[in-house]
Coordinates of all heavy atoms in Angstrom, one line a residue:
M15 N 110.4 117.3 91.0 CA 109.3 117.4 90.1 C 109.7 116.8 88.7 O 110.8 116.8 88.3 CB 109.0 118.9 89.8 CG 108.3 119.6 91.0 SD 107.4 121.1 90.6 CE 108.8 122.1 90.1
I16 N 108.7 116.2 88.1 CA 108.9 115.5 86.9 C 108.4 116.4 85.7 O 107.2 116.8 85.7 CB 108.1 114.2 86.9 CG1 108.5 113.3 88.0 CG2 108.2 113.5 85.5 CD1 107.5 112.2 88.2
P17 N 109.2 116.7 84.8 CA 108.8 117.5 83.6 C 107.8 116.7 82.8 O 108.1 115.5 82.5 CB 110.1 117.8 82.9 CG 111.1 116.8 83.3 CD 110.7 116.4 84.7
V18 N 106.8 117.3 82.3 CA 105.8 116.6 81.5 C 105.8 117.0 80.0 O 106.2 116.3 79.1 CB 104.3 116.8 82.0 CG1 103.3 116.1 81.2 CG2 104.2 116.4 83.5
C19 N 105.6 118.3 79.8 CA 105.6 118.8 78.4 C 105.4 120.3 78.5 O 105.2 120.9 79.6 CB 104.5 118.2 77.6 SG 102.8 118.5 78.1
A20 N 105.4 121.0 77.4 CA 105.1 122.4 77.3 C 103.6 122.7 77.6 O 102.8 121.8 77.3 CB 105.5 123.0 76.0
E21 N 103.3 123.8 78.3 CA 102.0 124.2 78.5 C 101.2 124.3 77.2 O 101.8 124.8 76.2 CB 101.9 125.6 79.2 CG 100.6 126.0 79.7 CD 100.7 127.3 80.4 OE1 101.8 128.0 80.4 OE2 99.7 127.7 81.1
G22 N 100.1 123.7 77.1 CA 99.3 123.8 75.9 C 99.4 122.5 75.0 O 98.7 122.4 74.0
E23 N 100.4 121.7 75.4 CA 100.6 120.4 74.6 C 99.5 119.4 74.9 O 99.4 118.4 74.1 CB 102.0 119.9 74.7 CG 103.0 120.6 73.9 CD 104.4 119.9 73.9 OE1 104.5 118.8 74.2 OE2 105.3 120.6 73.6
I24 N 98.8 119.5 76.0 CA 97.8 118.5 76.4 C 96.5 119.2 76.0 O 96.0 120.0 76.7 CB 97.8 118.1 77.9 CG1 99.2 117.7 78.3 CG2 96.8 117.0 78.1 CD1 99.4 117.4 79.8
A25 N 95.9 118.7 74.9 CA 94.6 119.3 74.5 C 93.5 118.9 75.5 O 93.6 117.9 76.2 CB 94.3 118.7 73.1
E26 N 92.5 119.8 75.5 CA 91.4 119.5 76.4 C 90.7 118.1 76.1 O 90.6 117.8 74.9 CB 90.3 120.6 76.3 CG 90.8 121.9 77.0 CD 89.6 122.9 77.1 OE1 88.5 122.5 77.0 OE2 90.0 124.1 77.4
G27 N 90.4 117.4 77.1 CA 89.8 116.1 76.9 C 90.8 114.9 76.6 O 90.4 113.8 76.2
T28 N 92.1 115.3 76.7 CA 93.1 114.2 76.4 C 94.1 114.1 77.6 O 94.0 114.9 78.6 CB 93.9 114.5 75.1 OG1 94.7 115.7 75.4 CG2 93.0 114.8 74.0
A29 N 95.0 113.1 77.5 CA 96.0 112.9 78.5 C 97.3 112.6 77.9 O 97.4 112.2 76.7 CB 95.5 111.7 79.4
V30 N 98.4 112.8 78.7 CA 99.7 112.3 78.3 C 100.2 111.5 79.4 O 99.8 111.6 80.6 CB 100.7 113.5 78.0 CG1 100.2 114.4 76.9 CG2 101.0 114.3 79.2
R31 N 101.1 110.6 79.0 CA 101.7 109.6 80.0 C 103.2 110.0 80.1 O 103.9 110.2 79.1 CB 101.6 108.2 79.4 CG 102.0 107.1 80.3 CD 101.6 105.8 79.5 NE 101.9 104.6 80.3 CZ 103.0 103.9 80.2 NH1 103.9 104.3 79.3 NH2 103.2 102.9 80.9
V32 N 103.7 110.1 81.4 CA 105.1 110.3 81.6 C 105.6 109.2 82.6 O 104.8 108.7 83.3 CB 105.4 111.7 82.2 CG1 105.1 112.8 81.2 CG2 104.6 111.9 83.5
D33 N 106.9 109.0 82.5 CA 107.5 107.9 83.3 C 108.5 108.5 84.2 O 109.4 109.2 83.7 CB 108.1 106.8 82.4 CG 108.1 105.5 83.1 OD1 108.4 105.5 84.3 OD2 107.9 104.5 82.5
D34 N 108.3 108.4 85.5 CA 109.3 109.0 86.4 C 110.4 108.0 86.7 O 111.2 108.2 87.6 CB 108.6 109.5 87.7 CG 108.2 108.4 88.6 OD1 108.2 107.2 88.1 OD2 107.9 108.6 89.8
G35 N 110.5 106.9 86.0 CA 111.5 105.9 86.2 C 111.0 104.9 87.3 O 111.7 103.8 87.4
D36 N 110.0 105.1 88.0 CA 109.5 104.2 89.0 C 108.1 103.7 88.5 O 107.9 102.5 88.4 CB 109.3 105.0 90.3 CG 108.8 104.1 91.4 OD1 108.9 102.9 91.3 OD2 108.3 104.6 92.4
R37 N 107.2 104.6 88.3 CA 105.9 104.2 87.8 C 105.3 105.3 86.9 O 105.6 106.5 87.1 CB 104.9 103.9 88.9 CG 104.6 105.1 89.8 CD 104.6 104.7 91.2 NE 105.3 105.7 91.9 CZ 105.8 105.5 93.2 NH1 105.5 104.5 93.8 NH2 106.4 106.5 93.7
P38 N 104.6 104.9 85.9 CA 104.1 106.0 84.9 C 103.0 106.8 85.6 O 102.2 106.3 86.4 CB 103.6 105.2 83.8 CG 103.3 103.8 84.3 CD 104.3 103.6 85.4
I39 N 102.9 108.0 85.1 CA 101.9 109.0 85.6 C 101.1 109.5 84.4 O 101.7 109.8 83.4 CB 102.6 110.1 86.4 CG1 103.1 109.5 87.7 CG2 101.6 111.2 86.7 CD1 104.0 110.5 88.5
A40 N 99.8 109.7 84.6 CA 99.0 110.2 83.5 C 98.6 111.6 83.9 O 98.1 111.9 85.0 CB 97.8 109.4 83.3
V41 N 98.7 112.6 83.0 CA 98.2 114.0 83.2 C 97.1 114.3 82.3 O 97.3 114.1 81.0 CB 99.4 115.0 83.0 CG1 98.9 116.4 83.4 CG2 100.6 114.6 83.9
F42 N 96.0 114.6 82.8 CA 94.7 114.9 82.0 C 94.4 116.4 82.0 O 94.6 117.1 83.0 CB 93.5 114.2 82.7 CG 93.7 112.6 82.7 CD1 94.4 112.0 83.7 CD2 93.1 111.9 81.7 CE1 94.5 110.7 83.8 CE2 93.2 110.5 81.7 CZ 94.0 109.9 82.8
N43 N 93.8 116.8 80.9 CA 93.3 118.1 80.8 C 91.8 118.1 80.7 O 91.2 117.5 79.7 CB 93.9 118.8 79.5 CG 93.4 120.3 79.3 OD1 92.4 120.6 79.9 ND2 94.1 121.0 78.6
V44 N 91.1 118.5 81.7 CA 89.7 118.6 81.8 C 89.2 120.0 81.8 O 89.4 120.7 82.8 CB 89.1 117.8 83.0 CG1 87.6 117.9 83.0 CG2 89.6 116.4 83.1
D45 N 88.7 120.5 80.7 CA 88.3 121.9 80.5 C 89.3 122.9 81.0 O 89.0 123.9 81.7 CB 87.0 122.1 81.3 CG 85.8 121.2 80.7 OD1 85.9 120.9 79.5 OD2 85.0 120.8 81.5
G46 N 90.6 122.6 80.7 CA 91.7 123.5 81.0 C 92.3 123.3 82.4 O 93.3 123.8 82.7
E47 N 91.7 122.4 83.2 CA 92.2 122.0 84.5 C 93.1 120.8 84.3 O 92.7 119.8 83.6 CB 91.2 121.7 85.5 CG 90.4 123.0 86.0 CD 91.2 123.9 86.9 OE1 92.1 123.4 87.7 OE2 91.1 125.1 86.7
L48 N 94.3 120.8 84.9 CA 95.2 119.6 84.8 C 95.1 118.7 86.1 O 95.1 119.2 87.2 CB 96.6 120.1 84.6 CG 96.8 120.9 83.3 CD1 98.2 121.6 83.3 CD2 96.6 120.1 82.0
Y49 N 95.1 117.4 85.9 CA 95.0 116.5 86.9 C 96.0 115.4 86.7 O 96.2 114.9 85.5 CB 93.6 115.8 87.0 CG 92.5 116.8 87.3 CD1 91.8 117.3 86.3 CD2 92.2 117.1 88.6 CE1 90.8 118.3 86.5 CE2 91.1 118.0 88.8 CZ 90.5 118.6 87.8 OH 89.4 119.5 88.0
A50 N 96.7 115.0 87.7 CA 97.7 113.9 87.5 C 97.4 112.7 88.5 O 97.1 112.9 89.7 CB 99.1 114.4 87.8
I51 N 97.4 111.5 87.9 CA 97.2 110.3 88.7 C 98.2 109.3 88.3 O 98.8 109.4 87.2 CB 95.8 109.8 88.6 CG1 95.5 109.4 87.1 CG2 94.7 110.8 89.1 CD1 94.2 108.6 87.0
D52 N 98.4 108.2 89.1 CA 99.2 107.1 88.6 C 98.5 106.6 87.3 O 97.3 106.4 87.3 CB 99.2 106.0 89.7 CG 100.2 106.3 90.7 OD1 101.0 107.2 90.6 OD2 100.3 105.5 91.7
D53 N 99.3 106.2 86.3 CA 98.7 105.8 85.0 C 98.2 104.4 85.1 O 97.3 104.0 84.3 CB 99.8 105.9 84.0 CG 99.2 105.6 82.6 OD1 98.2 106.2 82.2 OD2 99.8 104.7 82.0
T54 N 98.8 103.5 85.9 CA 98.4 102.1 85.9 C 97.1 101.9 86.7 O 97.1 102.2 87.9 CB 99.5 101.2 86.4 OG1 100.7 101.6 85.6 CG2 99.2 99.8 86.2
C55 N 96.2 101.3 86.1 CA 94.9 100.9 86.8 C 95.2 100.0 87.9 O 96.2 99.2 87.9 CB 94.0 100.2 85.8 SG 92.4 99.7 86.5
T56 N 94.5 100.1 89.0 CA 94.8 99.3 90.2 C 94.1 97.9 90.1 O 94.3 97.1 91.0 CB 94.2 100.0 91.5 OG1 92.8 100.3 91.3 CG2 95.0 101.3 91.8
H57 N 93.3 97.7 89.0 CA 92.7 96.4 88.8 C 93.7 95.4 88.2 O 94.0 94.4 88.7 CB 91.4 96.5 88.0 CG 90.8 95.2 87.8 ND1 90.5 94.7 86.5 CD2 90.3 94.2 88.6 CE1 90.0 93.5 86.6 NE2 89.8 93.2 87.9
Q58 N 94.2 95.8 87.0 CA 95.2 95.0 86.3 C 96.1 96.0 85.6 O 96.1 97.2 86.0 CB 94.6 94.0 85.4 CG 94.0 92.8 86.1 CD 93.4 91.8 85.1 OE1 93.6 91.8 83.9 NE2 92.6 90.9 85.7
D59 N 96.9 95.5 84.6 CA 97.9 96.4 84.0 C 97.4 97.1 82.8 O 97.5 96.5 81.7 CB 99.1 95.5 83.7 CG 100.3 96.4 83.3 OD1 100.2 97.6 83.5 OD2 101.3 95.8 82.8
A60 N 96.7 98.2 83.0 CA 96.2 99.0 81.8 C 96.6 100.4 82.0 O 96.7 100.9 83.2 CB 94.7 98.8 81.7
S61 N 96.8 101.2 81.0 CA 97.2 102.6 81.0 C 95.9 103.4 81.0 O 95.1 103.5 80.1 CB 98.0 102.9 79.8 OG 98.1 104.4 79.7
L62 N 95.7 104.2 82.1 CA 94.5 105.0 82.2 C 94.6 106.2 81.3 O 93.6 106.8 80.9 CB 94.3 105.5 83.7 CG 94.0 104.4 84.7 CD1 94.0 104.9 86.1 CD2 92.7 103.7 84.3
A63 N 95.8 106.6 80.9 CA 95.9 107.7 79.9 C 95.3 107.3 78.5 O 94.9 108.1 77.7 CB 97.4 108.0 79.6
E64 N 95.1 106.0 78.3 CA 94.5 105.5 77.1 C 93.0 105.3 77.3 O 92.3 104.7 76.4 CB 95.2 104.2 76.6 CG 96.6 104.4 76.3 CD 97.4 103.1 76.0 OE1 96.7 102.1 75.9 OE2 98.6 103.2 75.8
G65 N 92.5 105.6 78.5 CA 91.1 105.4 78.8 C 90.2 106.6 78.2 O 90.7 107.4 77.5
W66 N 88.9 106.6 78.6 CA 88.0 107.6 78.1 C 87.6 108.6 79.2 O 87.4 108.2 80.4 CB 86.7 106.9 77.6 CG 87.1 106.0 76.4 CD1 87.1 106.4 75.1 CD2 87.4 104.6 76.4 NE1 87.5 105.4 74.3 CE2 87.6 104.3 75.1 CE3 87.5 103.7 77.4 CZ2 88.0 103.0 74.7 CZ3 87.8 102.4 77.1 CH2 88.0 102.1 75.7
L67 N 87.7 109.8 78.9 CA 87.3 110.9 79.9 C 85.9 111.3 79.8 O 85.4 111.5 78.7 CB 88.2 112.1 79.6 CG 89.5 112.3 80.3 CD1 90.2 113.6 79.8 CD2 89.3 112.3 81.8
D68 N 85.3 111.4 80.9 CA 83.9 112.0 81.0 C 83.9 112.9 82.2 O 83.8 112.5 83.4 CB 82.9 110.8 81.2 CG 81.5 111.4 81.3 OD1 81.3 112.6 81.0 OD2 80.6 110.6 81.6
G69 N 84.1 114.2 81.9 CA 84.3 115.1 83.1 C 85.5 114.8 83.8 O 86.6 114.6 83.2
C70 N 85.4 114.7 85.1 CA 86.6 114.4 86.0 C 86.7 112.9 86.2 O 87.4 112.5 87.2 CB 86.5 115.1 87.3 SG 87.0 116.9 87.1
T71 N 86.1 112.1 85.4 CA 86.2 110.6 85.5 C 86.9 110.0 84.3 O 86.6 110.4 83.2 CB 84.7 110.0 85.6 OG1 84.1 110.6 86.7 CG2 84.8 108.5 85.7
V72 N 87.8 109.1 84.6 CA 88.4 108.4 83.5 C 88.0 106.9 83.6 O 87.9 106.3 84.7 CB 90.0 108.5 83.5 CG1 90.6 108.0 84.8 CG2 90.6 107.9 82.3
E73 N 87.7 106.4 82.5 CA 87.3 104.9 82.4 C 88.4 104.1 81.8 O 89.0 104.4 80.8 CB 86.0 104.8 81.5 CG 85.5 103.4 81.4 CD 84.3 103.3 80.6 OE1 83.4 104.1 80.7 OE2 84.2 102.3 79.8
C74 N 88.8 103.1 82.6 CA 89.9 102.2 82.2 C 89.5 101.5 80.9 O 88.4 101.0 80.7 CB 90.2 101.2 83.3 SG 91.4 100.0 82.8
P75 N 90.5 101.5 79.9 CA 90.2 100.9 78.6 C 90.1 99.4 78.7 O 89.6 98.8 77.7 CB 91.4 101.3 77.8 CG 92.5 101.5 78.7 CD 91.9 102.0 80.0
L76 N 90.5 98.7 79.8 CA 90.5 97.3 79.8 C 89.2 96.7 80.3 O 88.6 95.9 79.6 CB 91.7 96.8 80.6 CG 92.1 95.3 80.3 CD1 92.3 95.0 78.8 CD2 93.4 95.0 81.1
H77 N 88.8 97.0 81.5 CA 87.6 96.5 82.1 C 86.6 97.5 82.6 O 85.7 97.2 83.3 CB 87.9 95.5 83.2 CG 88.9 94.5 82.9 ND1 90.1 94.4 83.4 CD2 88.8 93.4 82.0 CE1 90.8 93.4 82.9 NE2 90.0 92.8 82.1
A78 N 86.8 98.8 82.2 CA 85.9 99.9 82.4 C 85.7 100.3 83.8 O 84.7 101.0 84.2 CB 84.5 99.5 81.8
S79 N 86.7 100.1 84.7 CA 86.7 100.7 86.0 C 86.7 102.2 85.8 O 87.4 102.7 84.9 CB 87.9 100.3 86.9 OG 87.7 99.1 87.5
C80 N 86.1 103.0 86.7 CA 86.1 104.4 86.6 C 86.8 105.0 87.8 O 86.7 104.5 88.9 CB 84.7 105.0 86.5 SG 83.8 104.6 85.0
F81 N 87.6 106.0 87.6 CA 88.3 106.7 88.7 C 88.1 108.2 88.6 O 88.0 108.8 87.5 CB 89.8 106.5 88.5 CG 90.3 105.0 88.7 CD1 90.3 104.2 87.6 CD2 90.6 104.5 89.9 CE1 90.7 102.9 87.7 CE2 91.0 103.2 90.1 CZ 91.0 102.4 89.0
D82 N 87.9 108.8 89.8 CA 87.8 110.2 89.9 C 89.1 110.9 89.9 O 90.0 110.6 90.7 CB 87.0 110.6 91.2 CG 86.6 112.1 91.3 OD1 87.5 112.9 90.9 OD2 85.5 112.4 91.7
L83 N 89.4 111.7 88.9 CA 90.7 112.3 88.8 C 91.1 113.2 90.0 O 92.2 113.5 90.2 CB 90.8 113.2 87.5 CG 90.6 112.4 86.2 CD1 90.6 113.4 85.0 CD2 91.6 111.3 86.0
R84 N 90.1 113.7 90.7 CA 90.3 114.7 91.8 C 90.8 113.9 93.0 O 91.6 114.4 93.8 CB 89.1 115.5 92.1 CG 88.7 116.4 90.9 CD 87.3 116.9 91.0 NE 86.3 115.7 90.9 CZ 85.0 115.9 90.8 NH1 84.5 117.0 90.7 NH2 84.3 114.8 90.7
T85 N 90.3 112.7 93.2 CA 90.6 112.0 94.4 C 91.3 110.7 94.2 O 91.9 110.1 95.1 CB 89.3 111.6 95.1 OG1 88.5 110.7 94.3 CG2 88.4 112.8 95.4
G86 N 91.3 110.2 93.0 CA 91.9 108.9 92.7 C 91.0 107.7 93.0 O 91.4 106.6 92.7
K87 N 89.9 108.0 93.6 CA 89.0 106.9 94.1 C 88.3 106.2 92.9 O 87.8 106.9 92.0 CB 88.0 107.4 95.1 CG 88.7 107.8 96.4 CD 87.7 108.2 97.5 CE 88.3 108.6 98.7 NZ 87.5 109.3 99.7
P88 N 88.2 104.9 93.0 CA 87.4 104.2 92.0 C 85.9 104.5 92.2 O 85.4 104.6 93.3 CB 87.6 102.7 92.3 CG 88.1 102.6 93.6 CD 88.7 104.0 94.0
T89 N 85.2 104.9 91.1 CA 83.8 105.2 91.2 C 83.0 104.2 90.4 O 81.8 104.3 90.3 CB 83.5 106.6 90.6 OG1 84.0 106.7 89.2 CG2 84.2 107.6 91.4
G90 N 83.6 103.2 89.9 CA 82.9 102.1 89.2 C 83.8 100.9 89.1 O 85.0 101.0 89.0
P91 N 83.2 99.7 89.3 CA 83.9 98.4 89.4 C 84.6 98.0 88.1 O 84.1 98.6 87.0 CB 82.9 97.4 89.8 CG 81.6 98.0 89.3 CD 81.8 99.5 89.3
P92 N 85.5 97.1 88.1 CA 85.9 96.2 89.2 C 87.0 96.7 90.1 O 87.2 96.1 91.1 CB 86.4 94.9 88.4 CG 86.9 95.5 87.1 CD 86.1 96.6 86.8
A93 N 87.7 97.8 89.8 CA 88.8 98.3 90.7 C 88.2 98.7 92.0 O 87.1 99.3 92.1 CB 89.5 99.5 90.0
K94 N 88.9 98.4 93.1 CA 88.5 98.8 94.4 C 89.5 99.7 95.1 O 89.2 100.3 96.1 CB 88.3 97.5 95.3 CG 87.1 96.6 94.8 CD 86.9 95.4 95.7 CE 85.7 94.7 95.2 NZ 85.8 93.3 95.3
V95 N 90.7 99.7 94.6 CA 91.8 100.4 95.2 C 92.0 101.7 94.5 O 92.1 101.7 93.3 CB 93.1 99.6 95.2 CG1 94.3 100.4 95.8 CG2 92.9 98.3 96.0
P96 N 92.2 102.8 95.2 CA 92.4 104.1 94.5 C 93.7 104.2 93.8 O 94.7 103.5 94.2 CB 92.4 105.2 95.7 CG 91.8 104.5 96.8 CD 92.0 103.0 96.7
V97 N 93.8 105.0 92.8 CA 95.1 105.4 92.3 C 95.6 106.6 93.0 O 94.8 107.4 93.6 CB 95.1 105.7 90.7 CG1 94.8 104.5 89.9 CG2 94.0 106.8 90.4
R98 N 96.9 106.8 93.1 CA 97.5 108.0 93.7 C 97.3 109.2 92.9 O 97.3 109.2 91.6 CB 99.0 107.8 94.0 CG 99.3 106.7 94.9 CD 100.8 106.6 95.1 NE 101.5 106.8 93.9 CZ 102.8 107.2 93.8 NH1 103.5 107.5 94.9 NH2 103.4 107.3 92.6
T99 N 97.0 110.3 93.5 CA 96.9 111.6 92.8 C 98.2 112.4 93.1 O 98.9 112.2 94.1 CB 95.7 112.4 93.3 OG1 95.8 112.7 94.7 CG2 94.4 111.6 93.0
H100 N 98.5 113.3 92.2 CA 99.7 114.1 92.3 C 99.4 115.6 92.0 O 98.5 115.9 91.2 CB 100.8 113.6 91.3 CG 101.0 112.1 91.4 ND1 101.7 111.5 92.5 CD2 100.6 111.1 90.6 CE1 101.8 110.2 92.3 NE2 101.1 109.9 91.2
G101 N 100.2 116.4 92.5 CA 100.1 117.9 92.2 C 100.6 118.2 90.8 O 101.5 117.5 90.3
V102 N 100.1 119.2 90.2 CA 100.5 119.6 88.9 C 100.9 121.1 89.0 O 100.2 121.9 89.6 CB 99.4 119.5 87.8 CG1 99.9 120.0 86.4 CG2 98.9 118.0 87.7
V103 N 102.1 121.4 88.5 CA 102.6 122.8 88.5 C 102.9 123.2 87.1 O 103.4 122.5 86.3 CB 103.9 122.8 89.4 CG1 104.5 124.2 89.3 CG2 103.6 122.4 90.8
V104 N 102.4 124.5 86.8 CA 102.8 125.1 85.5 C 103.8 126.2 85.8 O 103.4 127.1 86.6 CB 101.6 125.6 84.8 CG1 102.0 126.2 83.4 CG2 100.6 124.4 84.5
R105 N 105.0 126.1 85.3 CA 106.0 127.1 85.6 C 106.7 127.4 84.3 O 107.3 126.6 83.7 CB 106.9 126.6 86.7 CG 108.0 127.6 87.1 CD 108.8 127.0 88.2 NE 108.0 126.8 89.4 CZ 108.4 126.0 90.4 NH1 109.6 125.4 90.4 NH2 107.6 125.8 91.5
D106 N 106.8 128.7 84.0 CA 107.6 129.2 82.9 C 107.2 128.5 81.6 O 108.0 128.1 80.8 CB 109.1 129.1 83.1 CG 109.6 129.9 84.3 OD1 109.0 131.0 84.5 OD2 110.5 129.5 84.9
G107 N 105.9 128.2 81.5 CA 105.4 127.6 80.2 C 105.5 126.1 80.1 O 105.3 125.5 79.1
H108 N 105.9 125.5 81.2 CA 106.1 124.0 81.2 C 105.3 123.4 82.3 O 105.1 124.0 83.4 CB 107.6 123.6 81.3 CG 108.3 123.8 80.1 ND1 108.8 125.0 79.7 CD2 108.6 122.9 79.1 CE1 109.4 124.9 78.5 NE2 109.3 123.6 78.1
I109 N 104.8 122.2 82.1 CA 104.0 121.4 83.1 C 104.9 120.5 83.8 O 105.7 119.7 83.1 CB 102.9 120.7 82.3 CG1 101.9 121.7 81.6 CG2 102.1 119.8 83.3 CD1 100.9 121.0 80.7
Y110 N 104.7 120.4 85.1 CA 105.5 119.5 85.9 C 104.5 118.7 86.9 O 103.5 119.3 87.2 CB 106.5 120.2 86.8 CG 107.5 121.0 86.0 CD1 107.3 122.3 85.7 CD2 108.8 120.4 85.7 CE1 108.2 123.0 85.0 CE2 109.7 121.2 85.0 CZ 109.4 122.5 84.6 OH 110.4 123.2 83.9
V111 N 104.9 117.5 87.3 CA 104.1 116.8 88.2 C 105.0 116.7 89.5 O 106.2 116.4 89.5 CB 103.8 115.4 87.7 CG1 103.2 114.5 88.8 CG2 102.8 115.5 86.5
E112 N 104.3 116.9 90.6 CA 104.9 116.8 91.9 C 104.6 115.4 92.4 O 103.4 115.1 92.6 CB 104.4 117.8 92.9 CG 104.8 119.2 92.6 CD 104.2 120.2 93.6 OE1 103.0 120.1 93.9 OE2 104.9 121.1 94.0
V113 N 105.6 114.6 92.7 CA 105.4 113.2 93.1 C 105.9 113.1 94.5 O 107.1 113.4 94.8 CB 106.0 112.2 92.2 CG1 105.9 110.8 92.8 CG2 105.4 112.3 90.8
D114 N 105.1 112.5 95.4 CA 105.6 112.3 96.8 C 106.6 111.1 96.7 O 106.4 110.1 96.0 CB 104.4 111.9 97.7 CG 103.5 113.1 98.0 OD1 104.0 114.2 97.9 OD2 102.3 112.8 98.3
V115 N 107.6 111.2 97.5 CA 108.6 110.1 97.5 C 108.3 109.1 98.6 O 107.8 109.4 99.6 CB 110.0 110.6 97.7 CG1 111.0 109.6 97.1 CG2 110.2 111.9 97.1
Ligands
FES1294 S1 92.6 96.8 84.2 FE1 91.5 98.6 84.6 S2 89.5 97.8 85.1 FE2 90.7 96.0 84.7

């Protein structure tokens, strides 16, 4: 598991970016629910943690592709490939991301 931050450090409607040494992961807080996806847009090289949240959808800051945080699937062009989703665990006051190897 990858440590992210202390519980409560991700304000509602925002995201944080963590790097697992392989690829960055973005963790979003949507109305108190935490979602983790690969941070890099599948269209080009942009950080989705820097995008705009609308409910469970994040819009890429570069060309406005939209992704569903629950599934990773693109819901708006130009991206066609999903981002990976990851499990989020809150344990002893800290947030962790579970990444499949
Ligand atoms: S880099 Fe995200 S839509 Fe182009």
